[in-house]
């Protein structure tokens, strides 16, 4: 099933993101993670793509296939193009097709530190146009409520986003953010720009201060004072930080659903405990929204 069609039948699409285990020996842990995430009944699960992904050892293909074929959950395979030749992209898309995976998150990927991009595609929009023309997948793309870190301005980033949408993206998933106001302002600007496809809000629960600091330094998301205080207060108490991080994410998601967002994409960091707690807390509102959507059909 194409994920874009879920937005027609659901008021709020709810999905999870996982990443492939780093080593073959940790494959067992991913089964444990997927068993637990499966019970939470997400609408789909996306699988990230490592910058060094190769055709012969492609864990994204393997995991996306597992999600779809063993767990019966729709999967979305991430795919980056900046460091891959067209032949590699074709081969990976063929592997996905053979595995029955129907949806791809088409990304540029980060420019390698040496500045040399081996790929033939410079931007995600080029990859999206190529997939649209040569392969039959449902296509998602990334968006950045606070602007992409390389973009000279919010306006230029929005123009680049419009190019991606016009190239054929079906829907968007946002970069993580901790202040919903940025997301609401972004939705308004996107609407004014003529971007009319569904936009899912990407939410990352804070479970580990170091990890969040690293991610924030990479993507430039602002940390509101309230969250900074939480991170400082519980810096040395892992359990308290995890629980406060869950509460913060739940509050963010409930506010987003109440404001009518079309989807929530939870960056689970392969942590089923956190995903379970968050899902339990947001389910009553999520279910009520989706029930009211069905009763209007
Ligand atoms: P693009 O849309 O190509 O944009 C990149 C930059 O170029 C932006 O600054 C944009 O404003 C500018 N730009 C775009 N088009 C044009 C144009 N035509 N002219 C001028 N400027 C332009 N990375 C991974 O390696 N693996 C993953 O699995 C992964 N998953 C992600 C999932 C989500 C939901 C998100 C939000 C990001 C993910 N990333 C992942 C990170 C992503 O690869 C980086 O943010 C990357 O730097 C940009 O990718 P993009 O597809 O948004 O690029």
């Amino acid at each position: 099933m194409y994920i874009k069609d879920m937005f027609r039948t659901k008021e709020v699409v709810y999905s999870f993101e996982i990443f492939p285990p780093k080593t073959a020996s940790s494959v067992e842990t991913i089964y444990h993670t997927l068993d637990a995430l499966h019970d939470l009944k997400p609408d789909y699960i996306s699988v990230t793509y490592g910058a060094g992904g190769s055709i012969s050892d492609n864990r994204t293909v393997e995991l996306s296939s597992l999600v779809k074929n063993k767990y019966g959950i729709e999967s979305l395979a991430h795919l980056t193009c900046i460091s891959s030749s067209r032949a590699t992209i074709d081969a990976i898309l063929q592997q996905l097709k053979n595995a029955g995976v129907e949806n791809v998150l088409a990304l540029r990927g980060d420019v390698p530190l040496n500045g040399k991009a081996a790929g033939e595609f410079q931007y995600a929009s080029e990859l999206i146009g190529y997939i649209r023309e040569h392969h039959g997948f449902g296509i998602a793309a990334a968006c950045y409520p606070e602007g992409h870190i390389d973009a000279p301005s919010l306006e230029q980033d929005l123009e680049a986003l419009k190019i991606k949408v016009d190239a054929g993206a079906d829907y968007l998933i946002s970069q993580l953010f901790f202040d919903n106001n940025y997301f609401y302002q972004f939705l308004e600007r996107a609407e004014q720009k003529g971007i009319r496809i569904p936009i899912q809000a990407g939410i990352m629960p804070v479970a580990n201060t170091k990890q969040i600091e690293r991610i924030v330094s990479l993507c430039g998301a602002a940390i509101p004072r309230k969250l900074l205080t939480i991170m400082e207060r519980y810096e040395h108490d892992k359990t308290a930080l995890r629980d406060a991080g869950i509460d913060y994410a739940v509050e963010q998601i409930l506010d987003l659903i109440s404001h009518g967002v079309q989807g929530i994409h939870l960056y689970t960091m392969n942590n089923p405990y956190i995903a379970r707690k968050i899902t339990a807390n947001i389910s009553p509102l999520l279910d009520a929204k989706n029930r009211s959507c069905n009763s209007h059909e």
Side-chain angles (χ1 to χ4, degrees):
M1 175 183 192
Y2 290 144
I3 291 167
K4 67 173 180 186
D5 293 331
M6 295 179 184
F7 292 95
R8 298 213 184 96
T9 55
K10 295 211 137 190
E11 188 94 359
V12 188
V13 170
Y14 182 50
S15 56
F16 294 154
E17 177 173 302
I18 60 169
F19 52 83
K22 298 231 167 9
T23 60
S25 61
S26 47
V27 145
E28 274 309 307
T29 62
I30 205 69
Y31 282 110
H32 168 69
T33 303
L34 281 173
D35 283 341
L37 294 181
H38 168 263
D39 292 345
L40 304 179
K41 301 189 170 48
D43 292 311
Y44 72 88
I45 294 180
S46 84
V47 184
T48 65
Y49 183 84
S54 70
I55 308 173
S56 59
D57 180 25
N58 195 315
R59 319 299 301 279
T60 306
V61 173
E62 189 188 328
L63 253 189
S64 311
S65 169
L66 194 71
V67 166
K68 170 118 188 184
N69 300 310
K70 179 172 188 294
Y71 290 90
I73 301 171
E74 208 51 61
S75 62
L76 172 71
H78 297 207
L79 179 63
T80 66
C81 61
I82 190 83
S83 299
S84 299
S85 66
R86 190 173 295 220
T88 302
I89 298 280
D90 282 335
I92 292 172
L93 289 169
Q94 191 56 49
Q95 288 178 338
L96 288 168
K97 206 171 286 180
N98 294 345
V101 175
E102 293 175 79
N103 299 280
V104 171
L105 172 56
L107 298 150
R108 181 194 70 176
D110 289 327
V111 177
L113 288 176
N114 64 11
K116 288 189 188 137
E120 288 144 71
F121 303 101
Q122 199 184 348
Y123 296 117
S125 54
E126 295 166 18
L127 176 64
I128 292 167
Y130 182 74
I131 298 175
R132 186 57 76 220
E133 194 177 342
H134 299 280
H135 300 271
F137 283 88
I139 305 174
C143 63
Y144 301 84
E146 296 172 67
H148 183 265
I149 200 138
D150 298 344
S153 70
L154 287 180
E155 184 50 32
Q156 275 164 280
D157 200 36
L158 200 60
E159 271 164 29
L161 182 63
K162 181 75 166 77
I163 296 173
K164 282 204 284 204
V165 173
D166 291 345
D170 296 319
Y171 77 102
L172 302 169
I173 305 177
S174 91
Q175 175 69 278
L176 63 92
F177 56 90
F178 299 108
D179 179 343
N180 289 357
N181 288 319
Y182 286 111
F183 190 72
Y184 300 140
Q185 286 158 15
F186 167 73
L187 289 184
E188 260 175 47
R189 286 188 288 109
E191 167 75 25
Q192 282 162 11
K193 196 82 192 167
I195 293 173
R196 302 276 147 73
I197 58 175
I199 304 179
Q200 269 189 280
I203 297 296
M204 179 174 282
V206 172
N208 172 328
T209 304
K210 287 257 167 334
Q211 181 185 28
I212 291 296
E213 282 169 355
R214 192 181 63 81
I215 291 170
V216 163
S217 76
L218 289 174
C219 77
I223 305 189
R225 170 114 305 272
K226 184 177 167 186
L227 185 57
L228 261 184
T229 308
I230 290 174
M231 285 165 57
E232 282 162 10
R233 181 173 305 156
Y234 301 123
E235 195 183 353
H236 303 295
D237 184 341
K238 270 177 155 177
T239 309
L241 178 65
R242 183 196 65 191
D243 292 347
I246 290 170
D247 287 348
Y248 190 91
V250 166
E251 217 174 283
Q252 251 194 301
I253 296 171
L254 293 178
D255 182 70
L256 287 161
I257 296 176
S258 303
H259 273 77
V261 300
Q262 292 158 294
I264 302 291
H265 186 66
L266 191 68
Y267 296 103
T268 69
M269 296 168 295
N270 292 9
N271 186 323
Y273 176 87
I274 292 179
R276 190 179 315 118
K277 286 279 177 195
I278 290 176
T279 305
N281 278 289
I282 66 165
S283 281
L285 185 60
L286 198 60
D287 294 347
K289 278 270 180 182
N290 285 329
R291 264 199 312 276
S292 79
C293 175
N294 288 338
S295 67
H296 292 148
E297 274 174 10

